Amino acid sequence: MSASYIPKNVYAVCTFQTDSATRKFIDTRSEISVFYSKGSRTLLTIEDKNIDKEFPCKSPKNAMWSFLAFGAGLIVGALLLSNPIGWVIAAGIGVMAIGLYHATQISHKCTGALGKGNWKIEHQTVKFNKQNAITQNSMLICDAGGILSPIFSQAVAEKYAARIDALNNKEIWTNGIASFFGGAGAVLAFGEAAGAWGVTKVALWMGGTMGAVTVASYGEREAIRSTALSDNQHYQNMNEVDNNEILPGFIKDPTGSTPGDLGSPDIMEVDGKTGWFAKDPSGKLIVFFNGRQYIKDIKGNYTELKQGSQLAGDLKKIENVDPREMYKNAQAKQIVENIRQGKYSESLVKSSIDGNNVVRPRDLIKVLPDLKAIKLQNIKNLGKLTVKGGGLIAFVFPFVATWFSEQSRMELANAMAEDMNNGIAVVSG
């Protein structure tokens, strides 16, 4: 189909941009002698590979939030262990520092990456200054991974730039959440692993999961590209020039890896066997996590936390009562009655029970020192369960992120199709 040649200052939309502002293509080739409109606008070729103002790029922004979230996850995971590991916390701070470095790169990658990129779907026969001309069908594949295309209409460019910006930021947040749970879950998994085999099993699980996610994500992209926008030639062209590779980018360039590339470190076991669900003796379906009834553990820890807070508040009211007079105090007697009726878990009130398994008012004051430690442990237990459950949910996040990424590519193809009626009078045959 006929497509307009591209003069300087045509709008640029990129699949990796993370703001909704438009940029413009500019000339960068050394020899310029072909113009449109009385010499005011250069007609661009495949040697013109830059824009007037750099995009905040998805690639470094994703790396920044992934490293920050992963480092925070390492720290949280260490704090949730019974004995926090200092070197893990130090590692978390170090990983977050890497994230801060990537923060300085967000607006400084376009020029070099575009210069290393290449135009695709250029005109095969028409040349300006001995270089192939580009048209509305052309796409610039950036070395950072994004795809840029010229858009004549400002309204079209702004509309699709806003859509791509929203999708990319959702992808970044999705990867950040997955990285946080990956960091926290990895620390807990390794910290709770029993012996060398346990540690090895966690490492093998993580490696296997990462490989499985990589292969599955490749299949997801392939399925989307083979079925979406079948009537959009720009999208079909994009899929031909932007290969769907099964090898992740960090294999070819380890410096570009992010914590989001890690798989879920969680290991699901039922009675020592890997699994997620089982049935109790009554036939009711239950969820197991690391060999425990997951939902039951969450409810149990939360209930005990509430009971501990209530008991601590009640004991606070009698802390100044003489133990010898405690049996006369109405509030003390009510607490004893609650204990005898089983309204508190045994771990909360074990110090109030004497050798004859009898609860005496005078012994209530012995419970106070235990409550703080028990409450803190319950908070840690709830935190561990939340991290592990979040890790299970975050297992699907790489696929969600892939979906957002593919949607950005489709939005650019739609922008190109919608813009085809615009352009200049000089068109290719």
Side-chain angles (χ1 to χ4, degrees), residues 2 44-45 142 145 256 259 261 292 303 331 388:
S2 297
L44 303 181
T45 74
C142 177
D261 297 318
R292 297 191 301 268
T303 299
Q331 289 177 321
K388 293 174 180 178

Side-chain angles (χ1 to χ4, degrees), residues 7 16 37-38 60 63 65 145 156 191 193-194 200 219 230 246 259 288 370 397 418:
F16 272 27
S37 185
K38 298 181 180 180
W65 286 112
V156 171
T200 301
S230 58
I246 193 168
F288 275 78
D370 293 336
F397 279 22
E418 188 171 328

Side-chain angles (χ1 to χ4, degrees), residues 232-282:
N232 187 315
Q233 187 58 49
H234 302 288
Y235 186 64
Q236 306 309 316
N237 292 341
M238 186 183 298
N239 293 336
E240 289 181 9
V241 300
D242 180 34
N243 295 328
N244 177 26
E245 298 182 353
I246 193 168
L247 284 178
F250 63 84
I251 296 294
K252 294 183 290 185
D253 180 17
T255 61
S257 63
T258 70
D261 297 318
L262 291 173
S264 170
D266 301 312
I267 296 179
M268 311 289 287
E269 294 181 350
V270 179
D271 297 329
K273 298 179 180 180
T274 300
W276 290 5
F277 303 101
K279 290 185 178 181
D280 64 13
S282 68

